[in-house]
Amino acid sequence: MHPTHDDIIEIERVLSLWGHVLDDRAWKRLGECLTNDAIYDASVYGFEPVQGIDMIETMLRDGEHAVAHHVTNIVVIPGDTEVTHVRSKGLGIRHDGTVSSATYHDEMVRTADGWRVAVRTLGRMG
């Protein structure tokens, strides 16, 4: 089953919003991107995997991570009408001006509020 054009636009909007939420440190807006019980696995960067928006917020707030986040190359992988997988790339600008690259592997679910990330796993690219 292929997600509809409207689904893909909404999924891309949610993933793009992620970078703005992180850059603005707008932690209370994480629910616009994640399910309440989301799993966030950034273990490739030395963080323990965490579950739930409150734990993800704590990890993001306390962790040293990029000061600017850019989400690119979003590819929605056909799934069912309620769950789909998405691959994208992220560029992060660090405090010292260096750039890191990562891949995002997301499981997204349709909720009453629209598409949200249920599981996010980061992979290091450079």
Side-chain angles (χ1 to χ4, degrees):
M1 176 78 163
H2 289 277
T4 68
H5 180 59
D6 288 344
D7 288 334
I8 292 169
I9 289 171
E10 173 65 11
I11 288 166
E12 289 179 349
R13 187 198 68 76
V14 168
L15 296 181
S16 295
L17 178 61
W18 174 260
H20 293 285
V21 168
L22 266 61
D23 292 350
D24 295 343
R25 308 305 193 246
W27 310 123
K28 298 306 175 196
R29 295 188 67 194
L30 286 170
E32 295 177 41
C33 302
L34 305 170
T35 62
N36 288 333
D37 61 348
I39 297 169
Y40 189 86
D41 182 353
S43 56
V44 69
Y45 287 100
F47 297 97
E48 291 293 322
V50 293
Q51 184 170 8
I53 286 182
D54 291 340
M55 295 297 295
I56 294 169
E57 177 183 341
T58 298
M59 188 265 309
L60 293 171
R61 182 187 301 271
D62 296 344
E64 184 176 323
H65 54 90
V67 295
H69 299 79
H70 303 276
V71 180
T72 68
N73 304 68
I74 298 169
V75 177
V76 179
I77 300 163
D80 66 35
T81 58
E82 305 301 316
V83 178
T84 195
H85 290 86
V86 182
R87 277 193 71 181
S88 60
K89 295 186 178 195
L91 296 172
I93 313 300
R94 296 185 184 118
H95 292 276
D96 64 3
T98 59
V99 178
S100 64
S101 179
T103 59
Y104 294 116
H105 301 275
D106 296 320
E107 178 180 300
M108 297 191 68
V109 298
R110 185 190 311 271
T111 72
D113 296 319
W115 287 94
R116 298 293 186 266
V117 176
V119 180
R120 169 159 272 195
T121 305
L122 275 69
R124 185 184 304 269
M125 296 224 19

CSV table of all heavy atoms in Angstrom, one decimal, residues 15 22 41 57-58 70 73 86 108 126:
chain,number,residue,atom,x,y,z
A,15,LEU,N,8.6,15.7,9.8
A,15,LEU,CA,10.1,15.5,9.9
A,15,LEU,C,10.8,16.8,9.7
A,15,LEU,O,11.9,17.0,10.4
A,15,LEU,CB,10.5,14.4,8.8
A,15,LEU,CG,9.9,13.0,9.0
A,15,LEU,CD1,10.5,12.1,8.0
A,15,LEU,CD2,10.2,12.5,10.4
A,22,LEU,N,14.0,21.2,17.5
A,22,LEU,CA,15.3,21.1,18.2
A,22,LEU,C,16.1,22.4,18.2
A,22,LEU,O,16.6,22.8,19.3
A,22,LEU,CB,16.1,20.0,17.6
A,22,LEU,CG,16.0,18.6,18.2
A,22,LEU,CD1,14.6,18.1,18.2
A,22,LEU,CD2,17.0,17.6,17.6
A,41,ASP,N,16.3,6.2,19.6
A,41,ASP,CA,17.6,5.5,19.7
A,41,ASP,C,18.7,6.2,19.0
A,41,ASP,O,18.9,6.2,17.8
A,41,ASP,CB,17.5,4.1,19.2
A,41,ASP,CG,18.7,3.2,19.3
A,41,ASP,OD1,19.7,3.8,19.8
A,41,ASP,OD2,18.6,2.0,19.0
A,57,GLU,N,12.7,14.4,25.9
A,57,GLU,CA,13.0,15.8,26.2
A,57,GLU,C,14.2,15.9,27.1
A,57,GLU,O,15.1,16.7,26.8
A,57,GLU,CB,11.8,16.4,26.8
A,57,GLU,CG,12.1,17.9,27.2
A,57,GLU,CD,10.9,18.5,27.9
A,57,GLU,OE1,9.8,18.1,27.8
A,57,GLU,OE2,11.2,19.6,28.5
A,58,THR,N,14.3,15.1,28.1
A,58,THR,CA,15.4,15.1,29.1
A,58,THR,C,16.7,14.8,28.4
A,58,THR,O,17.7,15.5,28.5
A,58,THR,CB,15.2,14.1,30.2
A,58,THR,OG1,14.0,14.5,30.9
A,58,THR,CG2,16.4,14.1,31.2
A,70,HIS,N,19.2,19.9,10.1
A,70,HIS,CA,18.6,20.0,8.8
A,70,HIS,C,18.2,18.6,8.4
A,70,HIS,O,19.1,17.7,8.3
A,70,HIS,CB,19.6,20.6,7.8
A,70,HIS,CG,20.1,22.0,8.2
A,70,HIS,ND1,19.4,23.1,8.0
A,70,HIS,CD2,21.2,22.3,8.9
A,70,HIS,CE1,20.0,24.1,8.5
A,70,HIS,NE2,21.1,23.7,9.1
A,73,ASN,N,16.4,14.6,2.1
A,73,ASN,CA,16.3,13.3,1.4
A,73,ASN,C,15.3,12.4,2.1
A,73,ASN,O,15.5,11.2,2.4
A,73,ASN,CB,17.7,12.6,1.4
A,73,ASN,CG,18.7,13.5,0.8
A,73,ASN,OD1,19.1,14.5,1.3
A,73,ASN,ND2,19.2,13.1,-0.4
A,86,VAL,N,10.1,5.5,7.1
A,86,VAL,CA,10.7,6.6,6.4
A,86,VAL,C,12.2,6.6,6.7
A,86,VAL,O,12.6,6.4,7.8
A,86,VAL,CB,10.0,7.9,6.9
A,86,VAL,CG1,10.6,9.1,6.1
A,86,VAL,CG2,8.5,7.9,6.8
A,108,MET,N,6.6,5.5,11.4
A,108,MET,CA,5.6,6.6,11.7
A,108,MET,C,4.3,5.9,11.7
A,108,MET,O,4.0,5.0,11.0
A,108,MET,CB,5.7,7.7,10.7
A,108,MET,CG,7.1,8.4,10.7
A,108,MET,SD,7.2,9.9,9.7
A,108,MET,CE,6.1,11.0,10.6
A,126,GLY,N,28.8,10.2,9.1
A,126,GLY,CA,30.1,10.9,9.1
A,126,GLY,C,30.3,11.9,10.2
A,126,GLY,O,29.5,12.1,11.0
